[in-house]
Amino acid sequence: MKFGIREFVLLLVLFAVPLASYWFVFRPQNSQIERAKEEIALRRDKLEKLQQESARRGTLEAATDQIAERIESIEARLPTNKELSDVVRQVSELAVEAGLQQPSIVAEKPVKASLYMEQPLKIEMAGDFRGFYKFLLELERLDRITRLPDMTVRRSDKVDGHMVAEFTLSIYFQDEEA
């Protein structure tokens, strides 16, 4: 076989056609395919994040509902400023039922406590310690939200075996005017 110019040109054309098709057809097509794959991967990531967020949204809504129910139950325990005198009467009745003397109660100026109001009451009562302990236990069982920020207990000078307690009882309440 004779290898001439014609055969050499034919060989060049045979090599040039696949190279040219790779360079002008397949290489641009491959870059488009790669861009499409990257875009698909980005969209899948976004879709997964959206699915996670939508799943979380359901749990967040349930948690929000639960918190709202808890807030309502706590607010149900807060008397209004009109019902505050009933709570003071209940505290006085608890002291008498516990065997203590009728307490002297002095209401101080209400204090704003976050979204609610706090009514401090200066209370002084006398009696035996067991009655006072019983009073504190019953006070703790009240369905109203109260706290004792300070308290002093001392022996009674008048009756042997008795004590005098001075404390501040704070009652939280909802201000209807606000």
Side-chain angles (χ1 to χ4, degrees):
M1 181 166 170
K2 194 173 155 187
F3 193 71
I5 291 183
R6 225 168 81 185
E7 286 80 18
F8 182 70
V9 170
L10 181 63
L11 189 63
L12 275 176
V13 169
L14 282 177
F15 281 124
V17 168
L19 285 175
S21 64
Y22 170 76
W23 191 263
F24 294 112
V25 176
F26 294 115
R27 202 178 100 188
Q29 198 75 2
N30 285 344
S31 65
Q32 285 179 350
I33 291 171
E34 286 300 317
R35 281 194 303 261
K37 284 181 180 178
E38 288 173 4
E39 189 174 325
I40 288 170
L42 282 174
R43 289 187 183 191
R44 280 189 180 152
D45 287 344
K46 284 183 182 179
L47 182 62
E48 286 176 15
K49 287 179 183 177
L50 278 173
Q51 287 173 341
Q52 289 173 353
E53 290 297 321
S54 63
R56 222 177 102 206
R57 181 175 178 227
T59 57
L60 286 177
E61 286 176 351
T64 303
D65 293 341
Q66 217 174 29
I67 290 170
E69 289 173 7
R70 288 181 184 166
I71 288 173
E72 286 176 14
S73 69
I74 290 173
E75 285 180 344
R77 294 176 58 197
L78 294 174
T80 62
N81 47 358
K82 293 177 184 175
E83 298 171 330
L84 205 54
S85 60
D86 294 338
V87 176
V88 172
R89 185 179 39 75
Q90 282 178 333
V91 169
S92 180
E93 288 173 359
L94 285 178
V96 172
E97 288 173 5
L100 301 171
Q101 294 176 3
Q102 183 72 29
S104 68
I105 301 174
V106 178
E108 295 182 347
K109 186 176 180 180
V111 179
K112 181 113 173 109
S114 187
L115 299 173
Y116 308 104
M117 299 293 286
E118 181 179 357
Q119 175 64 59
L121 303 170
K122 288 280 187 189
I123 299 177
E124 183 176 332
M125 60 177 58
D128 68 337
F129 184 77
R130 290 183 184 176
F132 182 66
Y133 183 70
K134 183 180 175 186
F135 165 75
L136 288 178
L137 290 176
E138 291 300 318
L139 183 66
E140 191 176 83
R141 289 189 190 115
L142 274 179
D143 60 339
R144 303 300 184 188
I145 300 173
T146 59
R147 71 182 183 107
L148 293 169
D150 65 335
M151 178 186 340
T152 53
V153 179
R154 58 181 165 78
R155 286 187 189 180
S156 175
D157 298 336
K158 299 175 185 172
V159 181
D160 193 32
H162 278 209
M163 43 133 317
V164 176
E166 297 174 1
F167 57 92
T168 303
L169 175 68
S170 290
I171 302 170
Y172 290 91
F173 68 97
Q174 290 180 341
D175 191 12
E176 286 184 338
E177 297 166 6

